[in-house]
Amino acid sequence: MKLKYLGHSAFYIEAEGLKALIDPFLDGNPLAASKASDFTDVNFIFVTHGHGDHVGNAVEIAKRCGAAIICPTELAPFLAAQSVKTEGMQIGASFDFAFGKVKLTPALHGSTYVVNGKAEYAGLACGFLICAGGKKIYHAGDTALTMDMLLLAEEDIDAALLPIGGYYTMDAKDAARAAKFVDAGVAIPMHYDTFPVIRRNPEDFVRLCSENDVCAKILAAGGEIVL
Ligand code: NI
Ligand code: MN
């Protein structure tokens, strides 16, 4: 599996049968490594919750590519109303797609979706466990540290993508505790620097992880790893 960081919480994943984006906040993000128009053949888009910095350009890209958007159940109708295919799943539930299994994990966070300038309640926020090409990644979405993350240690996760920016999510200290809980092959920081309130040095996360005996790696926007 190839995993490319696009900035904020956005990633591109490529594996057998899968070309996917996660939380593709691209054109509205000056720090993003790609433009929405760069993506012409993705087949799935994962969206953790309804906030603009996660839905981002999902609808436009899904329409252009004919991709299905996998997201929490209550968010799905807002996106489906814009003529895109959705897979509205529930927290704790899993499904075997052609490329592999997807499970929605709990995320302790809110979710709204703006319709005609008004923020509508959009149900629960989630994280994702995504299996593809024989590998498994955990994208935590926006979340606080939770005890539930301890259960993920049994999942044999290859890479955990964790928010570290504070203010809206875990900070580096809690994210390092999360990384210890999840016990993935590598922990990768996300959701920092994009806005003034989440400007952080990701090296702090790496240092705190190493104190917890957890391997962490910073991906610059545009950087990629092969799992
Ligand atoms: Ni959010
Ligand atoms: Mn966010």
Side-chain angles (χ1 to χ4, degrees), residues 49 51 53-54 109-110 142 191:
H49 62 293
H51 292 155
D53 59 318
H54 297 265
H109 191 71
D142 278 359
H191 210 274

Side-chain angles (χ1 to χ4, degrees), residues 47-51 55 69-82 86-93 104-107 109-115 119-128:
V47 174
T48 57
H49 62 293
H51 292 155
V55 176
I69 299 179
I70 302 176
C71 65
T73 320
E74 296 83 357
L75 174 60
F78 291 108
L79 307 178
Q82 298 169 75
T86 57
E87 298 280 358
M89 293 175 63
Q90 197 50 272
I91 309 295
L104 270 61
T105 61
H109 191 71
S111 181
T112 54
Y113 188 76
V114 175
V115 181
E120 303 281 356
Y121 180 64
L124 297 173
C126 77
F128 288 108

Side-chain angles (χ1 to χ4, degrees), residues 196-217:
V197 291
I198 60 170
R199 269 194 201 122
R200 296 289 180 274
N201 183 352
E203 297 289 353
D204 292 340
F205 172 71
V206 173
R207 180 178 44 79
L208 290 162
C209 280
S210 74
E211 287 171 16
N212 285 347
D213 290 320
V214 173
C215 169
K217 185 176 166 60

Side-chain angles (χ1 to χ4, degrees), residues 52-189:
D53 59 318
H54 297 265
V55 176
N57 304 108
V59 171
E60 155 197 349
I61 298 168
K63 275 187 186 170
R64 180 167 56 245
C65 303
I69 299 179
I70 302 176
C71 65
T73 320
E74 296 83 357
L75 174 60
F78 291 108
L79 307 178
Q82 298 169 75
S83 306
V84 295
K85 185 174 175 236
T86 57
E87 298 280 358
M89 293 175 63
Q90 197 50 272
I91 309 295
S94 58
F95 187 74
D96 289 313
F97 290 89
F99 63 83
K101 187 187 279 275
V102 173
K103 186 173 185 181
L104 270 61
T105 61
L108 196 52
H109 191 71
S111 181
T112 54
Y113 188 76
V114 175
V115 181
N116 297 327
K118 184 171 178 288
E120 303 281 356
Y121 180 64
L124 297 173
C126 77
F128 288 108
L129 279 174
I130 302 168
C131 303
K135 300 291 176 182
K136 191 185 285 187
I137 63 162
Y138 167 53
H139 186 292
D142 278 359
T143 185
L145 174 68
T146 71
M147 289 297 285
D148 296 333
M149 291 171 178
L150 266 174
L151 296 171
L152 296 175
E154 297 165 17
E155 293 278 353
D156 227 346
I157 294 165
D158 294 288
L161 320 176
L162 303 171
I164 66 157
Y167 200 92
Y168 303 110
T169 69
M170 300 187 279
D171 59 11
K173 191 174 175 201
D174 278 354
R177 295 163 78 193
K180 176 97 177 162
F181 281 2
V182 173
D183 193 26
V186 64
I188 296 168

